[in-house]
Amino acid sequence: MIEPLIISNSTDLLRIMPSDILCIKAEGNYSVVITSDGEKLLVSFQLGQVEQMIAEQLSTEAQAFIRIGRGVIINRNYIFTISIPHQRLGMRSAQGHSVQLEASKESLKQLKHFVEQYTAERREK
Amino acid sequence: MKTDDKSFYNIISDDEIRVVGTSTTEPPATNQPQQASQPVQKQPEPKNRFAIWHIIVAALALAAIVFALWLLMPPANTAQQEPVPDEPSEVNVIIPDSTTTSIEPEYADMQTDTINDIQLRIFTPHGGRPELVIGNLQADTTRIILAAQAADVRGDNGEISGAFILKGELISKGLPKLGFCSIINNEITIGRQSETPLFERAIEENGYFFRQYSLVSNGEMIDIKPKGKAIRRALCYLRGSICIIESTERESYHDFAQALADYGVEECVSLVGGEAILKYKPADSPLLTEGKVNTDYEYVNYIVWMSNK
């Protein structure tokens, strides 16, 4: 059974299924969770703290998420386009909501390679 | 894979990616791990980076500690900071009775001398009765023959550092320093010993007792821990009499103690130096005052030779 991710502080709580997360962007000392339907939810945790919550709460499900540089965590299931020359990463959910993210060429190279490898392995299986 | 290292989640460059839930930047295990991990192998191993971070943090912490210790070191000239306790040495422990002498003169003379290129001022009381005083020294200046600040006062709580007995009353306990001075029935004794029966005698016979650094013991200098330079002052047993010896320039404890030993001092404990107040009455002039009165602490204390007249 897939468990929800709970991001909670002393006053607020966000309970969200991993599959509902498109990406999470750093916003200074806060983070913005962008859901698969395009909603943006501000949480009062730094991106590293959110990453830690994902890792600790979601177990193997956490590996659906990839931290890209200092600025964003993506749900790799929603990777749509990668453009290394333009340093662009397109995310799109099943509901059709899309987000364009910026990332370094080097990180996008690694991400592209990872996606290709991962997909190839799944096909072999 | 989990990691409890919170700093791990904050360490990533913009050129790296990391699969969440793994402790490295490598992608999750695949059937072709070599290929899958190729792109991220260009990045430094996070564990190595953690080690580097830990080393950096440890080095910074160590530097901070060293700096803090340096700041806390007794600068000497201020009596408000308790120096690092002097470690006893059995070789250097002496019998205090060997340095006992009686004081009877009536004024204080001051002489200068030089030893090891260190200029000294030697204040010798002639007459008067030695005692310890806590608080305002201004109250009875007409009777003072010689006075100097005695035991250190701790900067953190304003209390006297080490054991202190005032007219038989125990004001402070503790043994941060091995040197001591007792005044019992007009008999002044200085020495270096962790436990001395003179402590109990001072209580039983309404005497006085304080502790300070022992700088010279049995004619040998004691190299104590506190560093730094300041005007140094000490209560000394020199050629059969008790005197206060002061350096005219800022000196380290080491150099000052060595100079005292070379000068012939047989036993001596430090007094508060630096800008601490010193009063003495020459034979042919009124009471002279040098240094500053310390009114910051209630327990600022003095060794004073009071005239009986």
Side-chain angles (χ1 to χ4, degrees):
Chain A
M1 181 180 174
I2 299 173
E3 295 291 327
L5 173 69
I6 294 178
I7 301 175
S8 173
N9 63 17
S10 59
T11 57
D12 298 294
L13 182 145
L14 170 64
R15 180 178 179 278
I16 187 169
M17 296 304 292
S19 58
D20 289 336
I21 299 173
L22 191 66
C23 64
I24 306 168
K25 294 174 71 175
E27 195 74 43
N29 284 330
Y30 299 94
S31 301
V32 175
V33 178
I34 301 177
T35 65
S36 55
D37 58 3
E39 191 175 358
K40 293 182 179 179
L41 303 165
L42 185 70
V43 295
S44 58
F45 292 95
Q46 294 176 341
L47 195 62
Q49 294 173 299
V50 176
E51 182 189 356
Q52 187 174 4
M53 291 176 193
I54 293 171
E56 291 177 350
Q57 293 181 31
L58 300 186
S59 185
T60 54
E61 280 297 313
Q63 296 187 12
F65 294 89
I66 298 175
R67 173 86 178 259
I68 300 177
R70 290 174 295 180
V72 67
I73 296 170
I74 62 162
N75 186 333
R76 69 182 183 203
N77 295 321
Y78 299 133
I79 294 174
F80 186 51
T81 58
I82 297 174
S83 174
I84 296 171
H86 293 97
Q87 297 180 241
R88 289 278 179 175
L89 169 62
M91 304 291 293
R92 190 160 89 169
S93 67
Q95 294 96 318
H97 183 75
S98 61
V99 172
Q100 286 291 321
L101 302 170
E102 291 183 358
S104 72
K105 289 181 181 178
E106 182 57 38
S107 66
L108 290 177
K109 278 182 195 174
Q110 292 178 42
L111 182 65
K112 178 173 176 290
H113 189 87
F114 172 69
V115 170
E116 289 168 349
Q117 290 293 331
Y118 184 78
T119 306
E121 286 166 19
R122 284 178 65 91
R123 283 177 182 157
E124 285 176 7
K125 286 180 183 176
Chain B
M1 183 174 174
K2 284 185 179 180
T3 176
D4 292 330
D5 191 343
K6 292 181 179 178
S7 64
F8 168 84
Y9 296 102
N10 294 319
I11 299 173
I12 188 169
S13 80
D14 284 333
D15 288 339
E16 290 176 313
I17 69 169
R18 176 166 63 215
V19 177
V20 176
T22 63
S23 62
T24 71
T25 54
E26 294 178 5
T30 68
N31 292 334
Q32 296 170 297
Q34 297 284 337
Q35 294 173 348
S37 61
Q38 274 178 351
V40 289
Q41 280 177 344
K42 295 174 183 175
Q43 305 307 317
E45 280 287 328
K47 285 182 180 176
N48 292 339
R49 286 186 289 116
F50 292 151
I52 292 169
W53 271 108
H54 288 155
I55 289 169
I56 292 171
V57 169
L60 289 174
L62 183 64
I65 290 168
V66 169
F67 182 66
L69 288 175
W70 178 77
L71 287 178
L72 290 174
M73 266 174 55
N77 354 5
T78 65
Q80 290 73 32
Q81 292 187 347
E82 183 181 15
V84 179
D86 193 5
E87 293 296 328
S89 166
E90 290 188 10
V91 176
N92 295 320
V93 171
I94 63 161
I95 305 299
D97 286 347
S98 65
T99 58
T100 299
T101 187
S102 295
I103 305 296
E104 293 182 356
E106 303 224 353
Y107 61 94
D109 66 25
M110 189 271 287
Q111 296 177 343
T112 60
D113 212 337
T114 301
I115 183 83
N116 302 346
D117 291 329
I118 294 176
Q119 191 169 31
L120 303 174
R121 296 203 300 170
I122 301 114
F123 300 89
T124 306
H126 300 275
R129 175 174 48 84
E131 62 183 57
L132 298 183
V133 174
I134 291 179
N136 191 352
L137 194 59
Q138 309 295 323
D140 198 4
T141 56
T142 56
R143 294 178 54 223
I144 294 174
I145 292 173
L146 178 63
Q149 238 177 281
D152 287 327
V153 177
R154 293 174 53 161
D156 54 351
N157 59 15
E159 295 180 355
I160 294 172
S161 172
F164 193 98
I165 297 168
L166 182 72
K167 288 184 180 175
E169 182 183 356
L170 183 61
I171 304 296
S172 173
K173 296 179 182 177
L175 179 69
K177 298 151 190 165
L178 293 178
F180 70 88
C181 168
S182 72
I183 305 168
I184 304 170
N185 299 328
N186 281 356
E187 189 174 67
I188 181 167
T189 305
I190 57 177
R192 172 184 164 88
Q193 200 165 356
S194 59
E195 292 185 9
T196 167
L198 292 171
F199 177 81
E200 281 77 21
R201 272 192 61 203
I203 293 175
E204 293 166 359
E205 300 179 32
N206 293 326
Y208 304 87
F209 186 97
F210 73 92
R211 282 200 177 271
Q212 261 290 6
Y213 288 116
S214 171
L215 299 181
V216 178
S217 176
N218 210 19
E220 299 292 330
M221 72 158 290
I222 305 295
D223 201 1
I224 61 174
K225 291 179 181 176
K227 306 300 179 188
K229 290 187 173 183
I231 300 293
R232 301 295 181 190
R233 201 173 284 164
L235 183 64
C236 304
Y237 179 80
L238 175 67
R239 293 187 272 276
S241 64
I242 297 287
C243 60
I244 291 175
I245 299 181
E246 178 189 77
S247 68
T248 60
E249 301 292 333
R250 298 170 70 246
E251 304 291 347
S252 66
Y253 270 121
H254 177 93
D255 291 347
F256 183 58
Q258 187 63 66
L260 294 179
D262 292 347
Y263 192 62
V265 169
E266 295 174 44
E267 202 73 27
C268 127
V269 295
S270 65
L271 297 173
V272 179
E275 296 181 337
I277 197 166
L278 177 93
K279 290 175 179 284
Y280 67 101
K281 184 190 177 308
D284 54 354
S285 72
L287 184 69
L288 301 176
T289 300
E290 297 176 359
K292 296 177 181 176
V293 177
N294 187 335
T295 56
D296 294 340
Y297 299 94
E298 178 183 359
Y299 287 105
V300 173
N301 56 87
Y302 307 87
I303 181 169
V304 186
W305 279 260
M306 291 284 194
S307 170
N308 290 315
K309 296 179 182 177

